[in-house]
Structure formats: C-alpha cells, structure tokens
Amino acid sequence: MTKSLLYAAAIAVGSLYASSAPASEWGCQVLLCVSGNWQATPSCHPPMYRLLAAMKRPGFSWPTCPAASSTAARKDVYDDCPEGWTVGYSDVGHDGNRSKPNMCEKRENLCFNHRNGRPIFKPVINRRDGDSCQKTISMPRPVRSKPWYVEYTDAKGLRQRAWFNLNI
C-alpha cells in the first residue's frame, strides 16, 4: 500500500471515528494514522490522542489491526550504522553487561600509509587494541527522527514497517 493510499484511508477512517469504536477498529485507525503524517491529518487526531492518553495508564496494551496482521508498536531509537561500520556499545559495566548500542565502530589499519599506499612496519600501540596496527574507531550512532514502528501486511501480502513518532 502506498503512503498516499494509506493517507487517504486514514482520512476516510478517521472521519468515521467514534469514541466507542471497538478495539480492533481503533487499532486499524491507529495503523492508518501512523503510516502517514498523523500530526498534519486532523481526522487522525482523535484516535491518536486517545492512544497517547491510553499509553499513560497502567496495563496499556497497544491496539492492533487484525485485518492487516499488525503488531504492537516497538521502539528502536538508533538508526543503522553507515556501511562498513558495526554496532558498538559506549562501555561495558563492571559486571560485564553492555550498555546501550549507541555507537558505530570500525577497525582501521594504522600500519598502512594512506598517502602513498606503502606499508608502515612500526606497529601502533594503544590500550584497547594492544600492540597492533589495528585500531577501533567509533562515532555516535545516528538517532532516528521516527523511533517507533508497527509491522503490518500490506494489500499485496508483503510485510511492511511503518516508522513514526509520537510527538505532538
């Protein structure tokens, strides 16, 4: 389903919205709204404001849309690392547990002179990598502008992911 079709469907479904709508209908309204730009679609405001209020209550369960086999929303704050980089962690605690996967890392060969392409035979010494020509460099992992997603099955039977934010 294209975004424009989802957007049109969200407007149509949103106009039929009633506060006493069954949970599955509400879940389908939410799915349609998060698949487009819900903040700019007035008909999406009632089901989304209802969602935001419900999320604050104990025992909240994300509404799903059985017709689209949608999942409950999940949150993934960090975007993929650039090509050639892998996910890294800012530090490892004293108990050996890793912190958040908020870094991108790659190994770089420091024994190779990038200017003239000749090998350098003196190894570089650093604390993390020891007596080696290899050094791990890192950078902060990119953060998504839309950290929430819902998975659903589109009209062609393909599994899709709709990314969105809940900012008003």
Side-chain angles (χ1 to χ4, degrees), residues 16-84:
L16 300 174
Y17 177 81
S19 61
S20 61
S24 63
E25 182 180 327
W26 176 42
C28 292
Q29 291 168 346
V30 168
L31 174 62
L32 289 170
C33 290
V34 301
S35 296
N37 183 2
W38 74 266
Q39 295 92 336
T41 308
S43 59
C44 282
H45 293 175
M48 293 304 293
Y49 290 155
R50 178 180 171 196
L51 174 72
L52 293 170
M55 289 176 75
K56 295 177 183 175
R57 289 189 222 116
F60 167 74
S61 180
W62 190 274
T64 59
C65 181
S69 301
S70 71
T71 62
R74 296 181 184 109
K75 193 172 186 180
D76 187 359
V77 175
Y78 299 106
D79 209 347
D80 296 333
C81 290
E83 186 152 341

